[in-house]
Amino acid sequence: MAPLRRRLLIAVSLASALALSGSACTSPGGSGSAGDGKGTIDFWSMPYWIGQDNKVKDLVAEFNASQDQVKVNLTQLEWKDGRDKIKQAIAAGNGPDVWLMNNGLELDYLKADALAPLDSLGYTKADTDRYLDLAQVNEYEGELYGAPLYFDVGVMVYRKDILKKYGYDRPPTTWDELKAQAADITKKSAADGSKISGWQFKGMDDHVNAINSTWESFLCQAGGGLTSPDYTKSTQNSEAGRAAMEYMRSFYKDGVSPVGTSALNGFIDGKVAMFPFFQSVIANVEAGGEKTKGKWAVAPMPKGPKSGCSMVGGHSLVASARSDDLRAAGTFMKWLASPERSAQYMDFHAIFPYRTSKVSPQVKAAIDEKFKSEPSWFPIMEQLSRNSPDLVLQDRHAWATRWEAQKASIVAGVGGQVPVDKALASIDDQVGKALNAEK
C-alpha cells in the first residue's frame, strides 16, 4: 500500500482535476471517542432504499440497538451532490469511515489506495465466495474492495394493456421484433387518435443521465465495448457502435419515438408502450397508482445482433483505508450488506447479491417467497443471467469523462443533430484523453 502522504496527495489532485466545487465536509472519522467504550464510525450514504428515504436511518438505528461494541453515526446526503461531498471530504482528509458507492467502484479511490480491501475488514474467503460472479465488478488488482448491497440490471418495461389492444400477446424478444411492434403501435394509435409512442429510450427525455445505461446496454447487445481489453483505448466508434446508434436513431428518424416524450411519465400516462431501464424503475411505475396497476410487466431486454446483455448497476459499501477502526467498519458493513439485509432490499426490486445456495435456510426461504409472490422476478433473473462484469469494469476507466461525453453525443447522434460517426468519434476523443491521463 502506498504511504499515507502519497495517498492524500493523489486524492487532493484528483479532487482538483475534477473541479469539485464547494467547501470540504468535515467528519471526525472512526476514533471511538464517544466516551461509551464503543468503536465509533461515520457512515455517509445517499437514501438508496428507493421510495423510502428514511429506511437507511432506520437500518442504522437497528444496527446501533443491536450492538454493544460498535456505534455508527449516519450522515445522509442527497443524490444530487452526495458523491461530490464524499470525494471532497476524502481529499481533505476528514471523510467517513464507510460510505455508499456504485458497483464497479471509482478508479480514483482505487488508484489512490483510499479503500480498504475486504479481507482487512474481517471478511473471509468463505464470506466472499457467497457472492454472485458479478461481485467481480468490485475487484481491483486481485483484491475485493466493495461489499455489494444489491445489483441492478437493465430490463424492458411494457404496458400489457397497450400491447394487447394492438394485437400483441407477448413483448418483443429481438431488435427486429421491437422495432416492428413499436412502429405498429405508434402507427395504429395515431390512426385511432390515441397517439401512443410504441417505444422510448430512457435518457432521451426526462433524465438525460439515463442515456448512459441505455446506450451501454444497446452497445453491448451489438457486440461492442467501451474500451480495449487493457482499458487504454476508447472503442465506441466501431462497427458495433455504429450499428447500435443507427438502430436507436431509426426510432426517431422513422417517427416511432417522438423527441421530447418522457419515457417514464409517458409510460405511466399510457402514452408510451415500452421503454428500457434498470429494474429499480419498477418503484416509479408502481407509484403511478391506478394509472398503472395491473397494466404493466417486465421482460428481458430484446436481443441484439450479438447478445441480450444489458448494463449492470447497484450499490456497494466501501471503507476508508485510513479509518481508525477497520474492525468496527467491517462489523457494520457485514451487517448492512448481509444476506439478511439484502433480502429486505428485494422489497424495492433490488437483486440479491448472494448465491442462494450459500445462505442460511431461513434467508433462502424468504427469498424464494419473494420470487413466488412477484412475477417480475423471473424476467429480472433471466436478464441477470445474461450479464457479466466486463462492461462495468470497462466503464470504471475514465468514467466521469465518458458519462458526460455520452450524455451530449449519444443524444445528439440518436436525435439526428450530428452524424453517427461524428458522435461516436467525439466520445472516443474525449474519453481517449482521459484514459491517457490514467496511465
Side-chain angles (χ1 to χ4, degrees):
M1 181 176 290
L4 174 60
R5 184 165 185 262
R6 176 175 175 270
R7 297 204 306 270
L8 286 172
L9 288 172
I10 293 174
V12 171
S13 67
L14 288 169
S16 299
L18 292 172
L20 297 174
S21 60
S23 59
C25 302
T26 59
S27 171
S31 61
S33 60
D36 54 12
K38 296 183 179 181
T40 303
I41 63 169
D42 292 309
F43 172 46
W44 290 15
S45 178
M46 286 68 77
Y48 64 81
W49 191 299
I50 298 171
Q52 299 187 54
D53 288 358
N54 287 326
K55 271 290 191 176
V56 178
K57 295 178 182 178
D58 294 342
L59 286 166
V60 171
E62 182 184 346
F63 172 81
N64 283 333
S66 72
Q67 289 289 311
D68 58 8
Q69 297 296 318
V70 180
K71 179 181 178 180
V72 174
N73 295 323
L74 171 66
T75 296
Q76 187 151 297
L77 305 171
E78 296 183 21
W79 283 107
K80 64 180 181 180
D81 59 1
R83 294 183 184 89
D84 285 351
K85 286 185 175 181
I86 292 170
K87 187 164 289 188
Q88 291 166 11
I90 295 293
N94 51 23
D97 299 282
V98 177
W99 66 97
L100 188 74
M101 191 177 289
N102 290 343
N103 282 331
L105 312 183
E106 292 187 42
L107 188 63
D108 294 348
Y109 292 103
L110 294 165
K111 293 183 70 174
D113 291 328
L115 305 182
L118 294 191
D119 59 7
S120 72
L121 298 166
Y123 281 79
T124 65
K125 187 176 185 299
D127 292 328
T128 56
D129 280 350
R130 295 189 297 173
Y131 290 136
L132 299 176
D133 288 344
L134 278 180
Q136 294 173 26
V137 298
N138 290 337
E139 287 186 1
Y140 180 70
E141 295 184 347
E143 296 268 21
L144 194 62
Y145 287 88
L149 293 167
Y150 60 90
F151 289 106
D152 290 326
V153 293
V155 295
M156 181 176 69
V157 189
Y158 66 98
R159 294 277 307 220
K160 295 186 297 183
D161 56 340
I162 294 176
L163 266 64
K164 182 178 180 180
K165 178 180 178 179
Y166 294 105
Y168 297 99
D169 58 6
R170 64 171 179 82
T173 60
T174 66
W175 278 15
D176 288 343
E177 287 185 0
L178 171 59
K179 182 66 183 296
Q181 282 194 26
D184 190 42
I185 291 170
T186 298
K187 181 179 179 181
K188 289 179 178 177
S189 67
D192 67 22
S194 301
K195 295 183 179 180
I196 298 169
S197 174
W199 173 265
Q200 182 70 339
F201 292 99
K202 190 82 169 79
M204 292 294 291
D205 46 74
D206 52 348
H207 196 325
V208 71
N209 194 55
I211 199 64
N212 287 296
S213 55
T214 299
W215 163 247
E216 293 181 16
S217 291
F218 281 85
L219 177 65
C220 175
Q221 291 161 19
L226 302 172
T227 72
S228 57
D230 61 0
Y231 311 123
T232 62
K233 183 179 179 181
S234 183
T235 59
Q236 297 200 40
N237 191 15
S238 62
E239 182 179 351
R242 291 186 288 275
M245 187 172 286
E246 290 286 5
Y247 176 73
M248 293 173 66
R249 184 170 184 167
S250 72
F251 283 80
Y252 299 92
K253 182 179 179 182
D254 298 342
V256 177
S257 302
V259 175
T261 299
S262 166
L264 176 60
N265 295 336
F267 187 85
I268 290 173
D269 291 338
K271 294 301 181 181
V272 170
M274 300 175 279
F275 76 97
F277 201 54
F278 291 128
Q279 90 287 340
S280 55
V281 81
I282 290 173
N284 302 103
V285 173
E286 290 177 334
E290 292 303 317
K291 289 184 176 181
T292 56
K293 187 176 181 180
K295 300 175 183 178
W296 61 277
V298 176
M301 291 288 284
K303 292 182 179 180
K306 298 297 183 181
S307 77
C309 56
S310 69
M311 189 61 183
V312 173
H315 291 93
S316 291
L317 298 180
V318 295
S320 172
R322 297 176 53 238
S323 175
D324 293 332
D325 197 337
L326 293 178
R327 176 197 60 81
T331 297
F332 174 61
M333 287 173 60
K334 292 178 76 172
W335 186 91
L336 191 61
S338 67
E340 290 77 12
R341 251 55 63 187
S342 287
Q344 294 179 29
Y345 305 149
M346 293 175 70
D347 290 347
F348 60 89
H349 299 94
I351 296 173
F352 190 67
Y354 294 92
R355 303 175 195 271
T356 55
S357 62
K358 294 193 175 185
V359 299
S360 71
Q362 294 82 1
V363 171
K364 185 178 185 303
I367 293 166
D368 289 343
E369 183 59 33
K370 290 179 187 292
F371 282 150
K372 292 176 184 177
S373 64
E374 173 55 72
S376 294
W377 279 113
F378 180 79
I380 290 170
M381 298 308 289
E382 164 62 25
Q383 186 63 58
L384 178 72
S385 71
R386 299 178 181 181
N387 293 334
S388 77
D390 296 344
L391 203 62
V392 181
L393 292 173
Q394 294 173 23
D395 207 11
R396 174 191 287 172
H397 296 264
W399 174 80
T401 299
R402 179 182 297 105
W403 277 49
E404 288 303 312
Q406 286 176 172
K407 281 194 289 187
S409 293
I410 299 303
V411 171
V414 172
Q417 287 78 39
V418 299
V420 166
D421 285 354
K422 184 176 181 180
L424 295 171
S426 177
I427 295 170
D428 279 353
D429 179 60
Q430 295 176 65
V431 175
K433 292 176 182 177
L435 290 173
N436 285 335
E438 287 181 4
K439 296 177 182 178

